Amino acid sequence: MENLTALDPRGPVAEMQMSLIQLSLYIMIFVIVIVFTIYIFVLIRFRERPGDTHIPKQVHGNRALEFIWTTIPILLLLLLAIPNVMDTFTLADTGVPEEGVDEALLDEDEAVEDYLVVQATGHQFWWEFEYPDLGINAGQDLYIPTDTRIVVELEASDVIHSFWIPSLAGKQDNIPGITNDLWFEAPEEGIYAGKCTELCGPSHWLMDFKVVAVDPETFAVWAENMAEPDEELTEPSGEVAVEGREVFENNCIGCHAVGDEGSPTGPNFTNFGERTVIAGFLEYNEDNLHDWIRDPESLKPGNDMPAFDENTISEDEMDSLIEYINDLRVLE
Amino acid sequence: MSNSAASSKSVIWDWITTVDHKKIGILYFLTGLFFFAVAGLEAILMRIQLMFPEMSFLGEQTYNEILTMHGTMMLFFAAMPIFFGFMNFIIPLQIGARDVAFPFLNNLGYWLFLFGGIILNVSWFTGGAPDAGWTAYAPLSSNSPGHGVDFYVMGLQVSGIGTLMSGINFLVTVINMRAPGMSMMRMPLFTWSSFVTSMLILFAFPALTIGLLLLMLDRIFGGAFFDVGLGGNVVIWQHLFWIFGHPEVYILILPAFGIFSEVIPTFAKKRLFGYTAMVFATLIIGFLGFMVWAHHMFTVGMGPVANAVFAVATMAIAVPTGIKIFNWLLTLWGGRIRFTVANLFALAFIPSFVMGGVTGVMLATSAANYQFHDTYFVVAHFHYVIIGGSVFGIFAGVFYWWPKMFGYRLSEAWGKWFFWLFLIGFHLTFFVQHFLGLMGMPRRIASYLDGQDLNDLNFISTMGAFLMGIAFILLVINVFISRKNTTNVNDPWDGRTLEWSIPSPVPHYNFAQTPLVRELDGLWFEKMNGDGRMKAAEPLDEIHMPNGSILPFFIALGLSIASFGVIFTSWIVIIVGLLVTFAAMFIRSIKEDHGYHVPVSEIKADQEVEK
């Protein structure tokens, strides 16, 4: 079971947000208990009893009471507003010096030593992850090292999307023409579910991604092989896979890149064989991969990938293509 | 042609041309209820789709269309018109007036609203309804293929003109048409909150008008306001929309607050506790409503300063709202509480709305909002305030004012079944959605994958929606089977305000003699200190009344024709439509119409019948 719920935070940002949620919840439960107590008492005590015809006293109001129920809520809200304002500023500060700011002028305490910048671009309906400092382009799976501050720069290519990893960090929007950022850390290794949370078209509900947190050593290997794939890794393992690479080069490379060959129009395929799902949601197996390539539209309506029927890719070619894609790995 | 056919034709003509605020009120009310049923059905379709994971009951595209229409219809064409119905019918009666300030405009407002609703729904039959959500965020809306979003733009634009007119009309009515002695601080709370609502309409709707205009220019006339590639900015839409959209939610809740402030004192047999505080709380809520729009946009990257300011401003709204809750509780305190259906809805509102209010404060916590935003937590929150507030207010008003509006009482027994089923269904549907949101379920998703622990709660939620649907059917049955309960309809609840001082159904001139108001809750004052009838402020005399007119119908019809011209980019149709509109306006300008006088003999005859 991968980590989905925000109720079980797995990193400092989600923990900060969870404790704020809890604080607000406790204050609100306090309010609810008071209101409900008065409410239930009033309904029982002052209900009309059979035969009761008295006219209640017509009370105008009470200044002291008005004062009390104006000031106490203000104090309760301050209790929540102050930590909220502090957290809002903490979350907005990625710790990365802005361009054009002289780093020498920055307060040393504020600078974060160890951080990794990732550009997350939302497309209808998939996620592109670029690591500008490492020269890596990846699709759908966001590999990160544990215990490192991840600074995500959010962009969008078509409509507004929103980047959310419930168990690691609350969301920020990916907006065309604007770059937003957020930061998070994942202390534990694992796979964390990510979702698009802004209505972006028919397949909005399928626009999932994964955050894969690995230890820094593994991440270094991953990053190295993604940037410059090892010959041994990219070279197809068998004859069938060699055929598959030909099919790939004839049909797929216009949109999908392996290593530095191919176009970034669609998700990068360099490490496709290590994905846990296809197209963000389909269980990774050969049948699903086959069905997806044959008819992506019926599985994920509105996505840009064309269908490849048997005239374009025959069943035999499909088998070898799938074998080749399965072989695309950078970590083994 | 038989006599009955001739008279039925004249009945239809009478309702189309009417300038009587009561008939227009009923038109608004019944049309709104019809749209409410349609939008409710759309909600049930969505809940069926979400009953199990990976359902294919509705396709994704259809789901997005139904989702958009549900929100748009509920807010613009169900909740608001139903409140307009109450306002139209009740405000003049509560302030002792014979009509609204601008009866002609009132009729025009109704037809613009109805035609706007029709334009929007025609989209179903012309290749698909709008699919970008009721918020229509650009560039999803500005790039949406087909004509769906065009229908959204023009439907809202046409009905928005009507809404703006109605808002102005109510403002002028309340300021100018009050009976002698009805000072502002003696006005019933429903009239007060409708007055504040009208102010919100006046200032909020122009922002929507501008937003829709930009969207129309982008979609139909090659504009680039939301085209990033040409230097546009998509966040502008969100600001314009929420500068309108946040006051809009107060437009929906304040009239409901007003209804509760009528119903609770009536059935507790006590004067509203802290009347002055209630009035000022309403004004403050209305004012703050314009200061908080960006709390819908905490995640668009406005920066920590803006987020912090809007978070604190939003939390501040909890204060006047809390004042209201405590004043209602203290109104009940020491009273003699009758559990009629109207009051049951008012009483159920208090805990339900408090639950929606506290999640509102939680959402206002900007740093935590990054987790809540655009999840089912938000869906749960706004349904708690809109159903627990506005819709409960509507149903309280339905049972409370039905005898005054339609001349018969709804069955209390059927009403109680309706109430309990609806209440249980409502909490069942939406309470679990708080958890769904935090468990990782974004809002506006056409389905969800299996194996994410979201299945059970979604199933429960759908069951609740079915209960609400069944409950609504009971209300409809109630409306039909109760038609013979015509006894004791003038003042069935031992009312406190002026509308209960006149017969039901109300004579078309409302008050035979303009009443003299001597205290807050004028009728109650006369019951306690006088003979139980309002004192007259004028001798019995002829009453001057306005004539009906068919012109508003044509003004609205012309604009609707022009709208279809815009949607399908046909200049001829646009010009024809505008010609119809301007011709009708021209006739209105040159034709003198002095109205007519109701003779004293007719008034006296009515009074004889009443006795």
Side-chain angles (χ1 to χ4, degrees), chain B residues 479-500:
Chain B
V479 165
F480 287 101
I481 61 166
S482 302
R483 296 175 71 174
K484 290 194 179 137
N485 297 341
T486 51
T487 54
N488 186 23
V489 287
N490 291 354
D491 183 14
W493 319 117
D494 195 10
R496 310 172 68 86
T497 42
L498 262 56
E499 74 266 33
W500 304 111

Side-chain angles (χ1 to χ4, degrees), chain A residues 39 48 54 58 88 171, chain B residues 271 336 347 366 370 373 496:
Chain A
Y39 175 77
E48 186 180 66
H54 86 283
Q58 305 292 307
T88 302
K171 61 194 75 64
Chain B
R271 177 192 159 109
R336 171 153 69 86
L347 296 174
S366 48
Y370 303 150
H373 181 73
R496 310 172 68 86

